[in-house]
Amino acid sequence: MTSDSWPAAFTAQVVHSMREARKAAGLTMAAVAEGCADRGLPEITDQTIKNLESGRRTSITLTDFLVLADVLGAPPITLLFPLGTAEAVELLPGREVPTWDALAGFTGETPTADPAPPGSARDVLDTFRAHADLVAAARASAALATDRRRTASTTPAPDRKAALLELAAGYEEYADADRKELASFRKRMRERGLVPPALPGDLAVVDQAEDEARVEDRE
C-alpha cells in the first residue's frame, strides 16, 4: 500500500472496529452522538458517525477517537488493532506486522534483547507495570487470608478450623511482606521523580506507613 492510500485504509480499519463495537453495545448512531455530547463533544453528530461508517469521511482526530472509544465502552487500543479478528495489520505504509506485535509495540511491550535504558519512556512503562503487579500480589495475598479466616469461622470441625487458621496466618505473613515490598517500590518511584498511581482503599495502609515514617524522620 502506498503512503498516500495508507491513512484512509488505516482509518477504515479503525472505523470498522468502532462499528462492530457500536453494534455489540446495542447503540444506535444517535445514541453514540448523544454520548459524545454528554462528554463535551457535541460536534460529533449522528451524521458524523454515518459519514465515518460509510467511508465518506476518511480521517478522524485523536480527540474524537478517544471520546468515541469511551462512549462505545471499548479500550482504545482494541479499536486500533483488531486483535483476534485480523492476523496482521499494516502498521505503517508498506510495513505489515502480526496484530499482536503491533499492539505490543504500541504499548511498549515489545521484547528486546537489552533492558530499557534507565529513564527512557519504555523504562517508565516497565516501572508502572511492575507496580501494578505488586498491587495485584498484595491484594491477592490479603484476600486469601481473609477468605481462610472467614471459612474457619463457619467450620464446625476443630481440625479443619485449625488448618484454615494456620493457612490464614501464613497468607497474612505473605500479605505483610507484599505490602512492605510495595511500599519500598513506591518510595523508589518517588525518589526517581515519578508519581505512583493511587492505591485502592484496601491498600491505603501502604502509604500511611510511609507518611508516618517521613514524619518520624522530620522529628
Side-chain angles (χ1 to χ4, degrees):
M1 188 178 298
T2 66
S3 58
D4 291 337
S5 59
W6 176 77
F10 192 85
T11 300
Q13 169 194 298
V14 172
V15 170
H16 174 76
S17 296
M18 293 172 66
R19 180 171 61 248
E20 294 303 306
R22 178 178 66 78
K23 291 179 179 178
L27 295 171
T28 64
M29 294 183 186
V32 173
E34 183 179 348
C36 291
D38 291 342
R39 288 160 175 77
L41 230 62
E43 55 267 35
I44 301 180
T45 64
D46 55 344
Q47 187 62 47
T48 303
I49 300 165
K50 186 179 297 183
N51 288 340
L52 280 168
E53 293 193 3
S54 67
R56 287 193 295 271
R57 180 172 171 176
T58 59
S59 65
I60 183 172
T61 66
L62 178 59
T63 50
D64 288 0
F65 170 73
L66 291 175
V67 170
L68 283 165
D70 189 68
V71 173
L72 296 170
I77 198 166
T78 63
L79 300 176
L80 288 173
F81 305 109
L83 195 64
T85 59
E87 184 177 347
V89 294
E90 190 170 6
L91 182 61
L92 295 172
R95 182 184 171 190
E96 188 171 274
V97 299
T99 305
W100 172 251
D101 290 350
L103 187 151
F106 190 85
T107 60
E109 294 177 273
T110 303
T112 58
D114 300 315
S120 66
R122 186 167 171 270
D123 176 48
V124 173
L125 284 170
D126 289 345
T127 298
F128 276 79
R129 289 192 182 102
H131 179 275
D133 289 342
L134 290 173
V135 169
R139 300 191 79 184
S141 53
L144 285 168
T146 300
D147 178 70
R148 297 305 184 275
R149 287 203 176 276
R150 183 183 299 113
T151 304
S153 68
T154 59
T155 300
D159 290 347
R160 175 63 174 161
K161 181 188 290 287
L164 286 168
L165 290 175
E166 185 176 351
L167 278 174
Y171 283 127
E172 284 164 355
E173 289 183 11
Y174 282 127
D176 184 58
D178 288 340
R179 286 192 293 268
K180 287 178 179 176
E181 184 178 1
L182 176 59
S184 178
F185 193 88
R186 289 171 69 82
K187 181 179 180 181
R188 292 197 299 274
M189 288 180 72
R190 293 188 178 98
E191 289 171 348
R192 290 177 54 188
L194 301 175
V195 179
L199 290 170
D202 55 341
L203 289 179
V205 65
V206 170
D207 276 347
Q208 289 173 3
E210 187 177 343
D211 291 341
E212 290 170 1
R214 283 198 291 266
V215 171
E216 290 177 1
D217 289 340
R218 286 197 298 268
E219 293 176 349

